[in-house]
């Protein structure tokens, strides 16, 4: 019996009060950091969607140069989708036999807010140039905006943050 009492005296542990204090502190920290994590996730989603669209535009331009054909990139502001097709006959519309990329959808919470290109498409010539320069503005939650700029003439594509006013 004495050995049990001696062993019990040496056992260390946490009291219920100590555990409740730690759980309370963790709850307060979670409550403080949740909005920041939510904003981080929304910004991450917006940046990813913008980078993906810019990559598809660059791919369309590269396809035009590599295959020595015209390629048309099309985006749908209302549906939140985009794709490109190889315009073999140069008529500006996807016909039978013309290869089309897969349609990409924007993630939830990301929209095409506005664009300054002349129409909702960009046509790249066999030299990679385009006459349809301008921007495509993407908006995420929290009204943060990022734009894709396509330079007329060269067809170069860049992604830029839109300054908030």
């Amino acid at each position: 019996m004495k050995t049990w009492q001696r062993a019990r005296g040496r056992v260390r542990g946490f009291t219920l009060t100590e555990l409740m204090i730690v759980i309370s502190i963790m709850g307060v920290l979670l409550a403080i950091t949740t909005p920041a994590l939510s904003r981080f996730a929304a910004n991450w989603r917006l940046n990813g969607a913008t980078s993906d669209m810019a990559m598809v535009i660059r791919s369309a331009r590269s396809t035009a140069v590599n295959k020595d054909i015209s390629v048309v990139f099309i985006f749908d502001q209302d549906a939140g989708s985009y794709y490109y097709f190889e315009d073999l006959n140069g008529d500006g519309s996807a016909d039978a036999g013309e290869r089309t990329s897969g349609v990409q959808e924007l993630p939830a919470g990301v929209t095409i807010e506005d664009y300054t290109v002349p129409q909702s498409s960009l046509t790249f010539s066999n030299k990679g140039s385009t006459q349809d320069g301008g921007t495509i503005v993407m908006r995420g939650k929290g009204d943060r905006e990022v734009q894709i700029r396509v330079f007329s003439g060269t067809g170069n594509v860049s992604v830029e943050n839109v300054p908030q006013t």
Side-chain angles (χ1 to χ4, degrees):
M1 190 175 259
K2 288 188 174 214
T3 57
W4 178 77
Q5 288 176 346
R6 268 189 261 141
R8 184 174 174 221
R10 282 182 276 174
V11 174
R12 299 281 183 195
F14 298 105
T15 65
L16 184 58
T17 306
E18 291 170 334
L19 289 174
M20 292 307 294
I21 289 171
V22 169
I23 290 172
S24 298
I25 290 171
M26 289 175 57
V28 168
L29 288 175
L30 183 64
I32 291 171
T33 59
T34 298
L37 289 174
S38 177
R39 279 191 306 275
F40 172 77
N43 288 339
W44 180 69
R45 199 173 300 115
L46 173 63
N47 289 337
T50 306
S51 294
D52 287 348
M53 183 185 271
M55 180 183 65
V56 171
I57 295 171
R58 289 181 187 115
S59 177
R61 180 176 181 251
S62 177
T63 300
V65 172
N66 289 334
K67 293 189 174 183
D68 198 27
I69 57 173
S70 292
V71 174
V72 180
F73 172 82
I74 296 177
F75 60 95
D76 186 343
Q77 184 176 15
D78 297 327
S81 62
Y82 54 92
Y83 66 97
Y84 69 88
F85 65 90
E86 298 173 358
D87 193 14
L88 299 175
N89 57 6
D91 67 351
S93 62
D95 301 317
E98 293 180 335
R99 184 183 159 289
T100 302
S101 73
V103 176
Q104 304 289 319
E105 302 286 334
L106 295 175
V110 178
T111 60
I112 299 172
E113 182 64 23
D114 195 13
Y115 58 91
T116 62
V117 293
Q119 62 274 351
S120 61
S121 66
L122 297 163
T123 303
F124 293 99
S125 72
N126 60 349
K127 303 293 184 205
S129 63
T130 182
Q131 295 178 353
D132 305 327
T135 60
I136 301 170
V137 179
M138 312 276 282
R139 176 176 278 185
K141 290 183 179 176
D143 293 337
R144 184 164 173 270
E145 295 180 343
V146 179
Q147 69 183 5
I148 300 170
R149 181 179 304 275
V150 180
F151 295 92
S152 60
T154 63
N156 288 335
V157 178
S158 69
V159 177
E160 306 166 349
N161 286 319
V162 176
Q164 293 187 351
T165 56

